[in-house]
Amino acid sequence: MPTEELMAQETVAPWMAAPPVYDNESNLPDWYQKFREESWKRFVNTADPKRTDENWRFADLKKSKFSELLPAAQVEDEAALIDRSEKSRLTDCAAHYVFANNRLIDSDANGLPEGAICLPFGEAIEKHGDLVREHFMKEDRSLGGDKFAALHGSAALSGLFVYFPKGVVCEKPIQVHHYVGGNQQVIFPHTLVVAEDNAQVSVIDMFETIAEEEQTLVIGVVDLVAKNGANLQYVALQDESDHGARHVQINSTRAGRDARTKSAFINLGASWIRNESINRMLEEGADCQIFSANLANGVQEYDQRTLQTHEAQHTTSDLLFKNALYDEARTIFSGLIQVQPGAHHTDSFQTCRNMLGSDKAEANAMPGLEIDADQVKCSHGSTSGQISDEEIFYLQARGIPAEQARQMISLGFLNESISRLGGEELKEFLFRRVEKKFANLL
Amino acid sequence: MSDSLKIENLHASVEGNEILKGLTLEIPKGEVHAIMGPNGSGKSTLSKVLAGNEEYDVSEGTVKMDGVDLLDLEVDERSREGFFLAFQYPHEIPGVSNANFLRAALQARLPKGEEIDAVAFYKTMYEKMDALQMDRKFTGRSVNDGFSGGEKKRNEILQMMMLEPKYAVLDETDSGLDIDALKIVAEGVNRMRGPERGFLVITHYQRLLDYIVPDVVHVMVDGQIVKSGGKELAHELEEKGYDWVTEELAVA
C-alpha cells in the first residue's frame, strides 16, 4: 500500500467499529435515524485533531486519540449506584435523575413545576420529537471538537431533555447524575434545555466514574436555549477518576432578547478533559455569563476553548475561568470574543486566572478579540501567579497553619467563579466538592 | 517570673539593612504601652518581627511571652500561643468569607477532633460586630476584599476580639480612620483592657492615645527605644515634634 494512502486511512480511522445500536431503536423517528447516520458519516470522514490546527494549539494530542471504544454496557450493580447518587443529592432539587452507562436507572421528578417537561433523551425523542428536533445540535460552529460532536450525534440517547414553557419558573435545580464504567467504554449524554419566554430553569449535570483505574470516555453535548426574557443556568460538575477517565463536553448556548444565561464547568477529576463553550447573544439585551473553576493536579490536562459571539446590539457577556494547578498539571484556555458587524453598544469581558501551586505546572492562555462594531466595551486578560507569601502570612498570623492557609486561599480563588452562580445550596455543594479534592491533595 | 511580653536587645534586618538595633522593651500583662516615633524608625518592623514575618532576619536578642520564647515559634504557633498583630495594611483574601476565616482561626485553637459550636460562634461574632458597628453583611463578604480603609481596621479589631489574645500589637491602627471610626475602634480596644492582657499600640500620632490612654509611652528612634515616660509624653511629643527627642539625645 502506498504510504500516502496508508496515512490518509489512519487519519480518518474511526475510533469505534460501528455506531451503537439501542434496544428501542424501532421507536425512533426517521429524522433522528437519519441524523444519526449522517453524523456517523461525518465522524468517519473527519480527521483527528492535528497539531497545526489553531483550535488544538498547546493540546497534548496523544490524549485526544482513541481506539477500540465500546458503547457502554449495562452496569451490574445499579442499586449501589442509586445509593451513591443519593449521598450527593441536593436536598432542595426540583428533580433528580440517575444515568449509568447511558441508561436511566432512577428518577424523581416530583418537585417540577406544572407544565415543565423533563424526560430522558430517548423518551423525549419519541414523545416530543418536534420540540427536540427544533433545538437538537443546531450549532454549526465548532471550536475544534467536530469529530467528537459528530460521534455524539451518531449515538446520543441518554441524558435529559428539559423544556420549560413560557413563564414557567423554578429556582430549584434539576440534578442529573451520569455514571460511566468499564474499560474503553464510552457514554454519550446529551442535555437539551429549552427555556421559553420568561421561563426560569437551572440544571446541574454531574459526571462520575463507577470505578477507579478504568479507561472511560464521556462525549457529551449540551444545547442551552434561552428565549426572550428567560433565565437559564447550567452547571457541569466533572469529578471522574483521574487515572484513566477522559471527558469531552461541548456546550452551545443561545440567548434571545433580554435572556440571561449562566453556564459553568467545574472540573476536579479525569485525566484529560476538553471543554468547548459557544455562547451566542442573538438579540438585544441578551446576557451570557460563563464560569469555570478547575482544580488540576498530578498529570491532569484541562483544555478549554470558548467563544462569546455578540450578534445584536446592546448585548453583554462575562467570562471568568479560574484554574488552580498543582504537580505537573496543565491547563489550556483559549477564548474569543466576537462582536459582529452592527452589534453596537456591546459589553463583553473575558478573564482567565491561573494559580500555580507548583513549578512544574503549566497554564496556557490565549485570549482573543474580534470587534466589528462601534461603541463597544470589551476587555480580555489572563494572569498567572502563585499564592503570595503575604496572604499566607496574614492567615498564619491568625493561627491557621501554613498548609491550611494555602488551601483556603486556593479554595477562595476558585470559589470566586462558583460564587457568581445562582442558588445557595448549589454553590455550597460545589464549594464542598472542590474543598474535598483539596483535602485529598494535602 | 512575672507575666509580660519581654523584648531584649532585639536586632533585626531586612535585605542586609539593620533596622532594629538592640531594642529592649517590656510590657507587663495588664498594661497598655504605646510606641511613637518618626517614619522609618522601625516601628512597623518591630510588629512584623514579633509576628514572625520571614522577610526579616533576627540576628540577636530574645522575645519572651510569659516565659515562652516567641522567636522559636512559627507564625501560626505564635498566634495560637496568644500573640496578636493588628496589621497596618490588612491583606485581602478573595473568595474566603470573613466568617469562614474567623472560624478556621478559632478551629485551629481547638484540640484535634473537636468542632466549633457554629451557633455559639455566630452569636459571639454578631455581638462583637454590633459593638464595632459593623454591618452583618461583612460575615459573608470576602476577607477585606473591597473594604474601605476604616472597614479593614475594624475587621482587624473584630479578629482581635474573637481570638482574645494575651498580648496584642496594634500597628498604626489609626491610620486611614476618621474620628468616628477611631472612637469605635478605641472603644473596642478599651473593652478588652484588663489584667489578663497586654497591649502595644504603635502610632505616629498622639490622637489615638487620647482614646486609648496608655500606661507608658516609648519613643523609638533609629531602631531603639530612646525615651520612656507616662501618657503626658505623647502630648509633649505632639507639641514639640520628634526633633525635640533627637536633639535632646544629641545633647546627652
Side-chain angles (χ1 to χ4, degrees), chain B residues 46-247:
Chain B
L46 172 64
S47 72
K48 285 175 190 163
V49 169
L50 291 177
N53 192 320
E54 283 174 9
E55 279 178 48
Y56 299 88
D57 296 318
V58 176
S59 54
E60 226 185 309
T62 57
V63 180
K64 301 258 188 192
M65 186 168 78
D66 296 350
V68 176
D69 193 343
L70 209 58
L71 301 179
D72 262 1
L73 302 178
E74 295 290 329
V75 179
D76 50 310
E77 290 171 329
R78 295 180 196 198
S79 166
R80 295 198 297 274
E81 194 64 37
F83 178 83
F84 184 88
L85 168 64
F87 283 65
Q88 183 180 4
Y89 303 110
H91 287 284
E92 300 177 359
I93 317 286
V96 177
S97 76
N98 238 351
N100 280 345
F101 170 51
L102 278 171
R103 208 169 150 161
L106 285 167
Q107 180 71 51
R109 286 160 166 75
L110 296 180
K112 250 196 162 54
E114 210 172 296
E115 282 287 324
I116 265 184
D117 177 348
V119 177
F121 165 73
Y122 274 97
K123 189 170 173 282
T124 314
M125 184 170 58
Y126 287 150
E127 279 169 15
K128 315 269 187 205
M129 289 176 78
D130 289 349
L132 291 168
Q133 299 182 27
M134 281 176 84
D135 194 300
R136 293 202 179 164
K137 70 171 192 269
F138 283 104
T139 53
R141 279 179 58 181
S142 296
V143 179
N144 297 326
D145 194 11
F147 287 25
S148 70
E151 286 163 351
K152 283 181 182 173
K153 295 299 173 75
R154 271 189 234 195
N155 208 27
E156 292 295 290
I157 302 304
L158 172 67
Q159 291 166 34
M160 180 176 76
M161 291 168 105
M162 292 297 287
L163 299 178
E164 301 185 327
K166 293 179 195 159
Y167 295 92
V169 175
L170 311 183
D171 188 3
E172 306 220 6
T173 297
D174 50 335
S175 67
L177 289 187
D178 60 36
I179 194 71
D180 292 331
L182 186 77
K183 283 181 188 167
I184 294 164
V185 164
E187 173 57 24
V189 173
N190 287 331
R191 277 166 46 140
M192 288 186 73
R193 288 177 83 151
E196 73 291 349
R197 194 166 287 123
F199 285 93
L200 179 61
V201 180
I202 295 174
T203 182
H204 189 74
Y205 304 103
Q206 162 266 330
R207 189 181 67 153
L208 177 68
L209 304 181
D210 287 343
Y211 299 97
I212 304 172
V213 180
D215 299 301
V216 182
V217 174
H218 306 276
V219 183
M220 186 168 175
V221 175
D222 197 23
Q224 287 180 320
I225 300 297
V226 296
K227 195 176 174 70
S228 301
K231 59 177 187 252
E232 61 289 344
L233 181 57
H235 290 277
E236 211 171 341
L237 274 172
E238 186 78 1
E239 230 169 83
K240 301 183 181 171
Y242 288 111
D243 288 346
W244 161 66
V245 184
T246 20
E247 279 160 21

Side-chain angles (χ1 to χ4, degrees), chain A residues 322 388 390-402 404 408-409 411-413 415-416 431-432, chain B residues 51-53 75-76 79-80 84-85 87 90-91 93-96 101 104-105 108-109 144 156 159 163:
Chain A
K322 299 203 123 190
S388 85
E390 290 185 326
E391 281 180 43
I392 295 171
F393 177 65
Y394 186 66
L395 265 62
Q396 255 192 301
R398 298 298 176 248
I400 298 165
Q404 195 192 341
M408 283 180 75
I409 294 164
L411 192 55
F413 170 81
N415 192 39
E416 271 199 291
F431 180 79
R432 295 292 164 215
Chain B
N53 192 320
V75 179
D76 50 310
S79 166
R80 295 198 297 274
F84 184 88
L85 168 64
F87 283 65
H91 287 284
I93 317 286
V96 177
F101 170 51
R109 286 160 166 75
N144 297 326
E156 292 295 290
Q159 291 166 34
L163 299 178

Side-chain angles (χ1 to χ4, degrees), chain A residues 96-387:
Chain A
H96 185 251
Y97 296 84
V98 185
F99 291 89
N101 277 5
N102 282 327
R103 287 160 189 79
L104 180 72
I105 59 170
D106 194 29
S107 66
D108 169 9
N110 286 329
L112 283 175
E114 212 180 309
I117 300 171
C118 210
L119 287 173
F121 200 71
E123 204 179 324
I125 292 169
E126 287 172 39
K127 292 185 178 160
H128 301 280
D130 291 347
L131 273 179
V132 175
R133 191 178 184 180
E134 192 184 334
H135 303 288
F136 176 63
M137 292 190 79
K138 287 293 180 209
E139 187 52 62
D140 51 8
R141 292 167 199 224
S142 167
L143 297 174
D146 8 355
K147 192 171 175 81
F148 294 95
L151 180 57
H152 178 94
S154 76
L157 211 59
S158 80
L160 209 64
F161 170 69
V162 179
Y163 181 83
F164 273 45
K166 221 170 170 171
V168 173
V169 169
C170 183
E171 284 183 10
K172 296 177 187 178
I174 294 164
Q175 186 179 21
V176 190
H177 282 86
H178 302 270
Y179 293 103
V180 58
N183 253 330
Q184 298 299 115
Q185 305 209 357
V186 50
I187 61 169
F188 302 99
H190 195 92
T191 305
L192 170 52
V193 184
V194 181
E196 291 285 1
D197 293 358
N198 303 314
Q200 181 177 352
V201 60
S202 169
V203 176
I204 172 170
D205 272 330
M206 290 175 50
F207 301 95
E208 292 178 31
T209 36
I210 296 168
E212 296 286 309
E213 316 278 351
E214 287 178 336
Q215 308 289 314
T216 55
L217 175 63
V218 174
I219 302 179
V221 173
V222 174
D223 294 315
L224 307 172
V225 182
K227 295 288 185 65
N228 299 345
N231 190 327
L232 190 161
Q233 174 168 286
Y234 173 81
V235 176
L237 169 65
Q238 179 280 116
D239 198 3
E240 295 160 22
S241 160
D242 58 2
H243 293 293
R246 289 185 279 181
H247 183 105
V248 178
Q249 184 168 346
I250 299 169
N251 284 8
S252 152
T253 302
R254 287 163 185 246
R257 177 181 278 267
D258 297 325
R260 301 268 174 277
T261 71
K262 288 184 179 184
S263 61
F265 293 115
I266 316 293
N267 287 297
L268 303 174
S271 60
W272 174 78
I273 69 108
R274 168 91 177 185
N275 288 156
E276 296 181 5
S277 175
I278 297 172
N279 302 274
R280 299 176 67 171
M281 286 129 276
L282 302 171
E283 292 178 67
E284 271 190 50
D287 176 69
C288 288
Q289 300 187 26
I290 313 106
F291 306 112
S292 193
N294 305 305
L295 174 51
N297 73 316
V299 291
Q300 287 180 312
E301 179 173 308
Y302 290 168
D303 182 352
Q304 299 182 302
R305 318 273 161 160
T306 67
L307 177 65
Q308 295 153 266
T309 301
H310 295 263
E311 303 181 20
Q313 297 191 53
H314 296 287
T315 52
T316 50
S317 72
D318 193 5
L319 177 149
L320 179 63
F321 275 36
K322 299 203 123 190
N323 298 309
L325 297 91
Y326 293 83
D327 308 323
E328 291 168 48
R330 295 183 83 224
T331 59
I332 300 152
F333 169 78
S334 169
L336 179 63
I337 289 176
Q338 212 174 43
V339 182
Q340 296 197 347
H344 307 301
H345 307 286
T346 288
D347 288 356
S348 190
F349 307 104
Q350 181 199 88
T351 307
C352 173
R353 295 199 194 288
N354 302 301
M355 186 177 265
L356 298 164
S358 139
D359 294 342
K360 289 182 181 158
E362 178 190 318
N364 303 281
M366 294 170 281
L369 276 179
E370 271 176 29
I371 300 174
D372 288 307
D374 306 318
Q375 306 279 335
V376 167
K377 233 194 280 172
C378 280
S379 77
H380 67 165
S382 79
T383 56
S384 287
Q386 291 166 349
I387 299 176

Side-chain angles (χ1 to χ4, degrees), chain B residues 2-20:
Chain B
S2 63
D3 279 353
S4 69
L5 181 65
K6 190 173 183 185
I7 305 162
E8 272 189 308
N9 190 31
L10 191 62
H11 289 259
S13 57
V14 62
E15 289 167 358
N17 296 323
E18 193 175 51
I19 303 197
L20 301 184

